[in-house]
Amino acid sequence: MSKAVRNIAKASKPHPKKTQKYSIIIPCAGQGSRMLSFGAKSLIKIKNNESLIDRQLKILNDVFVKKEIILVTGFESEKVMENTPDYLIKIENPYYDTTNVLKSISIGLRAATIENVIIVYGDLFFNHNIFMVPFNSQSMIVIDSSGHMKEDEVGCILYDNYLQHMCYELPNKWAQIIFLTGKELQIFSQIAHDKKNSKYFGFEAINILLESGGKLIPFFPENAIVTDMDCHQDLQRIKKIK
């Protein structure tokens, strides 16, 4: 395991995202049963009266110049749509309460017009450095290098500079951000659009992608901060992160 980690590439400086075009999909349809009393997680105020989605969009707009951002809503969909910018492509997942995140990703993929796709989960708190990744011609998966992702999150088996498998109770926590292009985008889209997979988690679809011949390079952005918000304790923890 340690040998594989040593072979993983690390970013030394920000990679300018000025010329390449991207479709950025933000699935934020889930209701988050442990935070129902707070309403839609994307609209929760995290710091200085800034909502989680406000922060995500600010950073994405700072980093990526040529892009379309696709927001897939579900729980409290109308409220989320009314409280997010008009330049977003907003699509509702009407089946959010009977499916899982892969269904929302599938909906976003169908709306995407650019064949370089970045998927960023809608309950993530991150800083700019999480995108210090050379999103170009190779599909990549972003790994948490900050240690802020919780122990019960999905981890990764890495070997020979590639992702091998994902499951719970592993180190090298997935940052819940992935870049798909070329062959991997085609295979992943087929997996996501398959109706029998509509209740899958994202990492389950990634495992099928790997089994189908797809390759993902793991990347550890330096000085990055990323964590997700699943419960009230996570919100309090995020408020303390500088």
Side-chain angles (χ1 to χ4, degrees):
M1 182 70 66
S2 60
K3 180 179 178 181
V5 172
R6 285 199 301 270
N7 288 337
I8 302 305
K10 291 187 177 182
S12 58
K13 60 182 179 178
H15 186 279
K17 313 297 190 304
K18 295 182 178 180
T19 57
Q20 191 157 319
K21 297 180 180 179
Y22 302 91
S23 289
I24 302 175
I25 299 173
I26 306 177
C28 63
Q31 60 184 11
S33 59
R34 288 183 286 179
M35 297 195 74
L36 280 177
S37 61
F38 288 84
K41 284 196 285 186
S42 57
L43 298 181
I44 293 174
K45 304 296 183 181
I46 51 173
K47 292 184 179 183
N48 303 319
N49 205 37
E50 180 182 56
S51 70
L52 188 60
I53 188 64
D54 288 340
R55 179 182 173 88
Q56 288 187 334
L57 293 175
K58 180 180 184 302
I59 292 174
L60 290 170
N61 285 320
D62 285 346
V63 174
F64 299 97
V65 176
K66 298 181 179 182
K67 81 281 183 185
E68 59 185 10
I69 301 179
I70 303 166
L71 188 70
V72 184
T73 64
F75 177 62
E76 295 195 348
S77 178
E78 185 174 346
K79 186 175 181 180
V80 174
M81 289 187 177
E82 288 177 351
N83 288 275
T84 47
D86 291 338
Y87 66 81
L88 300 176
I89 301 171
K90 307 176 190 180
I91 311 173
E92 182 178 1
N93 173 7
Y95 311 106
Y96 75 91
D97 56 346
T98 58
T99 60
N100 215 316
V101 66
L102 190 60
K103 178 62 177 180
S104 293
I105 293 172
S106 170
I107 291 171
L109 287 170
R110 291 193 185 281
T113 64
I114 303 166
E115 294 187 351
N116 296 306
V117 173
I118 301 172
I119 300 170
V120 179
Y121 278 31
D123 60 353
L124 288 179
F125 173 90
F126 46 74
N127 65 0
H128 287 73
N129 288 350
I130 197 63
F131 296 109
M132 291 173 60
V133 178
F135 298 124
N136 44 46
S137 60
Q138 293 180 297
S139 296
M140 294 185 167
I141 189 164
V142 182
I143 309 296
D144 171 33
S145 60
S146 69
H148 283 91
M149 294 298 285
K150 300 185 294 297
E151 284 298 315
D152 60 354
E153 297 294 344
V154 173
C156 304
I157 296 175
L158 312 174
Y159 183 74
D160 197 24
N161 289 347
Y162 288 103
L163 174 67
Q164 300 295 318
H165 188 72
M166 303 177 73
C167 67
Y168 294 105
E169 299 183 1
L170 286 175
N172 300 310
K173 300 300 182 183
W174 178 33
Q176 298 179 14
I177 298 171
I178 186 171
F179 171 62
L180 296 168
T181 190
K183 172 184 176 181
E184 287 73 29
L185 177 58
Q186 294 178 3
I187 296 173
F188 188 89
S189 296
Q190 292 173 357
I191 297 165
H193 298 331
D194 190 330
K195 291 182 179 180
K196 73 174 185 293
N197 299 334
S198 64
K199 294 187 178 182
Y200 278 20
F201 292 105
F203 82 91
E204 293 177 297
I206 293 172
N207 282 336
I208 299 175
L209 166 66
L210 300 176
E211 293 166 2
S212 303
K215 293 185 177 181
L216 294 173
I217 297 175
F219 216 86
F220 292 76
E222 293 182 351
N223 302 312
I225 293 175
V226 61
T227 189
D228 61 350
M229 186 169 65
D230 285 331
C231 60
H232 175 70
Q233 288 77 9
D234 292 338
L235 175 59
Q236 298 308 309
R237 184 165 53 88
I238 286 170
K239 288 181 177 180
K240 295 177 182 178
I241 297 176
K242 294 182 180 181

